[in-house]
Amino acid sequence: MKKILIHGSGHKATSWDKTIEYIKNNNDILCPELSSILDGKVASYDNLYSSFVKYCNNIDKKIDLCGLSLGGILALNYSLDFPNKVNSLILIGTPHKVPKFMFSIQNVIFKFLPKSLFETMAFNKKNTFILGNSMKKLDFSNKVSKIKCPTLIICGEKDNTNIKSAYYLSENIKDSKLEIVKNTGHIINEENPKELVVLINNFWQ
């Protein structure tokens, strides 16, 4: 069974490195670089999701998906569209709908940041704006109840932006499990990888 870890928009695939070190049987783990699977296309959400679908569908067997933030949105979207392909789902700091107000503030801040600061993020400055603007209408509120696979929802106690969504997802995805990681913010895989792996290993086992 292939296990796919999907990073967020503010980081690269290497943000999973510390987590992967602690995961049991990590030989089956795939960690795609989202900018690479786009294969040169503009980073709109539609392009990114289409590329992610192609990436996942190229894997013969069922898959376990684990996504953080943007990665969680992609995993959630894919699980809804291809329920027979997904064995299990882990959503970390994942919004069930995009917070438009927060995105607007983020775009204003990004506008004044130098291009060099985007080198550590998933996409360059131009594509980060394109992606953000193309995601404003994303809303899975009325769809998440259709998810049937085993689902683990994880959120940092200090992740004020996404903690309400974590409770919403846990209440609306049947038989899902919610874990709140204490003294941790949004980027759990970097802030608290050991605690995260305990939750992931227990769930996958």
Side-chain angles (χ1 to χ4, degrees):
M1 188 80 65
K2 293 296 182 182
K3 304 178 187 303
I4 304 176
L5 305 181
I6 315 116
H7 64 85
S9 61
H11 296 78
K12 295 181 180 290
T14 52
S15 64
W16 290 106
D17 286 354
K18 292 180 181 178
T19 305
I20 292 172
E21 287 180 13
Y22 302 116
I23 292 179
K24 295 178 180 178
N25 304 318
N26 59 17
N27 292 329
D28 292 328
I29 290 177
L30 300 173
C31 194
E33 193 73 66
L34 294 181
S35 59
S36 297
I37 66 172
L38 265 173
D39 199 24
K41 296 177 184 176
V42 172
S44 67
Y45 181 78
D46 285 346
N47 284 344
L48 181 59
Y49 179 63
S50 295
S51 298
F52 182 70
V53 167
K54 182 178 179 181
Y55 178 89
C56 292
N57 286 349
N58 279 337
I59 299 170
D60 293 334
K61 300 178 181 179
K62 278 192 170 186
I63 54 180
D64 294 303
L65 292 177
C66 175
L68 185 149
S69 196
L70 169 63
I73 291 175
L74 291 169
L76 176 60
N77 202 160
Y78 185 87
S79 299
L80 289 166
D81 290 345
F82 301 91
N84 295 328
K85 182 74 175 178
V86 181
N87 181 61
S88 71
L89 176 64
I90 300 176
L91 302 173
I92 306 170
T94 300
H96 65 280
K97 63 179 179 179
V98 170
K100 296 179 182 179
F101 180 69
M102 290 298 297
F103 260 55
S104 297
I105 293 175
Q106 178 178 280
N107 279 348
V108 171
I109 295 172
F110 283 172
K111 185 177 181 180
F112 296 99
L113 295 179
K115 291 181 180 180
S116 59
L117 287 182
F118 290 82
E119 292 176 1
T120 60
M121 296 173 65
F123 307 102
N124 61 28
K125 187 171 184 176
K126 178 182 177 181
N127 275 323
T128 297
F129 274 102
I130 291 172
L131 179 63
N133 288 328
S134 67
M135 292 178 65
K136 287 180 179 179
K137 294 182 179 180
L138 285 181
D139 188 346
F140 299 98
S141 301
N142 298 322
K143 299 178 182 179
V144 296
S145 60
K146 296 178 181 179
I147 292 179
K148 305 301 181 185
C149 66
T151 303
L152 173 63
I153 297 142
I154 302 173
C155 192
E157 181 183 38
K158 297 180 179 179
D159 186 357
N160 298 322
T161 301
N162 295 295
I163 198 159
K164 287 185 179 180
S165 280
Y167 283 105
Y168 179 90
L169 291 168
S170 69
E171 291 167 0
N172 288 276
I173 298 177
K174 187 178 179 180
D175 298 327
S176 62
K177 184 177 182 181
L178 173 64
E179 296 284 358
I180 303 297
V181 183
K182 294 183 178 180
N183 301 314
T184 306
H186 181 53
I187 314 299
I188 301 179
N189 56 347
E190 292 189 338
E191 294 179 43
N192 201 342
K194 287 187 177 181
E195 178 66 23
L196 177 60
V197 169
V198 169
L199 299 176
I200 290 176
N201 280 337
N202 288 339
F203 178 70
W204 278 343
Q205 287 175 13

